[in-house]
């Protein structure tokens, strides 16, 4: 039902544009629904198009080897904050706490700490055998996406609820319609 865009009255996927995107993406698991939910924001349209294309064409994830397992679940693109932290940890062999500090610096554009962390990130990458250009390119890519990333735990939680509502709509349609009408008639103010 989600891949058909049959999501009337399912909050999060009931608008015409959301339905269109569901039909294009054809989600087939909770993670796909979480990706769709996370990217249903205007400034993510370019990345959403890449994800749609990569999934539709079964395009392999082309990135540094240590990042492949992190990015394969989202078709080669950073979607979640946790992925940024995992990428930094995998690339630099640092702790998640250090990766979270870097995530916050990048997200909040803390320029006073930026150069220090670029240097530290590059040094750690060089120690792991990566080229300076690759270190700097990854750092700048992480900076570019850092403000657009979504919390995976929140996206998975919402996707799970949306899936359950969809299940009820699909398997108990009369009850779903009745409850939808009752809810619409309630004055919440």
């Amino acid at each position: 039902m989600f891949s058909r865009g049959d999501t009337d009255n399912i909050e999060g996927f009931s608008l015409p544009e959301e339905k269109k995107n569901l039909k294009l993406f054809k989600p087939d698991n909770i993670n796909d629904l979480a990706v769709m939910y996370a990217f249903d924001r205007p400034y993510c349209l370019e990345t959403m198009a890449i994800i749609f294309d990569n999934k539709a064409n079964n395009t392999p994830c082309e990135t540094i080897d240590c990042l492949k397992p992190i990015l394969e679940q989202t078709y080669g693109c950073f979607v979640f904050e946790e992925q940024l932290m995992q990428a930094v940890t995998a690339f630099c062999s640092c702790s998640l706490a250090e990766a979270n500090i870097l995530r916050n610096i990048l997200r909040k554009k803390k320029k006073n700490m930026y150069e220090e962390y670029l240097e530290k990130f590059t040094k750690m990458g060089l120690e792991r055998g990566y080229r300076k250009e690759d270190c700097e390119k990854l750092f700048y890519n992480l900076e570019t996406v850092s403000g657009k990333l979504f919390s995976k735990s929140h996206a998975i939680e919402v996707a799970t609820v949306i899936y359950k509502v969809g299940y009820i709509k699909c398997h108990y349609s009369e009850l779903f319609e009745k409850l939808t009408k009752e809810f619409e008639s309630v004055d919440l103010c």
Side-chain angles (χ1 to χ4, degrees):
M1 80 179 262
F2 289 103
S3 61
R4 293 188 316 267
D6 182 17
T7 53
D8 287 339
N9 297 315
I10 297 181
E11 188 63 36
F13 293 126
S14 61
L15 299 176
E17 188 68 22
E18 294 164 338
K19 291 178 184 184
K20 181 184 113 190
N21 288 336
L22 284 168
K23 289 177 190 176
L24 288 171
F25 188 57
K26 300 193 181 319
D28 52 16
N29 57 55
I30 291 290
N31 191 66
D32 282 357
L33 287 176
V35 168
M36 286 295 304
Y37 181 77
F39 267 102
D40 188 25
R41 294 171 285 154
Y43 53 84
C44 298
L45 296 178
E46 184 179 311
T47 305
M48 188 184 287
I50 295 168
I51 290 173
F52 287 0
D53 187 53
N54 287 352
K55 182 177 183 194
N57 297 317
N58 204 21
T59 306
C61 182
E62 294 181 21
T63 187
I64 300 166
D65 286 344
C66 70
L67 303 183
K68 282 184 181 180
I70 298 164
L71 295 176
E72 283 177 339
Q73 63 178 312
T74 52
Y75 308 96
C77 295
F78 283 98
V79 176
F80 302 115
E81 294 171 341
E82 292 85 345
Q83 285 179 293
L84 184 145
M85 293 170 49
Q86 290 170 335
V88 170
T89 301
F91 189 80
C92 295
S93 192
C94 65
S95 70
L96 282 173
E98 289 174 299
N100 192 41
I101 290 168
L102 178 59
R103 181 185 65 82
N104 280 313
I105 289 168
L106 294 174
R107 187 172 53 107
K108 295 177 182 175
K109 310 286 187 219
K110 294 185 176 183
K111 294 296 182 189
N112 59 332
M113 301 176 81
Y114 182 88
E115 290 300 322
E116 173 190 339
Y117 271 84
L118 170 59
E119 188 177 309
K120 186 176 181 179
F121 183 86
T122 302
K123 181 180 179 229
M124 293 170 92
L126 290 170
E127 289 171 0
R128 302 257 346 256
Y130 296 106
R131 298 177 326 177
K132 182 177 181 180
E133 303 82 48
D134 292 335
C135 298
E136 290 175 351
K137 182 180 177 185
L138 178 58
F139 189 86
Y140 294 128
N141 286 343
L142 294 175
E143 177 193 20
T144 301
V145 301
S146 64
K148 301 175 184 177
L149 302 179
F150 203 82
S151 165
K152 184 174 184 178
S153 59
H154 179 68
I156 291 288
E157 179 182 13
V158 171
T160 302
V161 170
I162 288 170
Y163 178 83
K164 289 177 180 181
V165 170
Y167 182 90
I168 293 168
K169 178 181 180 181
C170 192
H171 295 282
Y172 302 96
S173 56
E174 288 178 19
L175 175 63
F176 181 82
E177 293 302 322
K178 179 183 174 197
L179 292 174
T180 300
K181 286 180 178 137
E182 284 180 21
F183 182 75
E184 288 173 351
S185 68
V186 173
D187 183 11
L188 298 175
C189 295

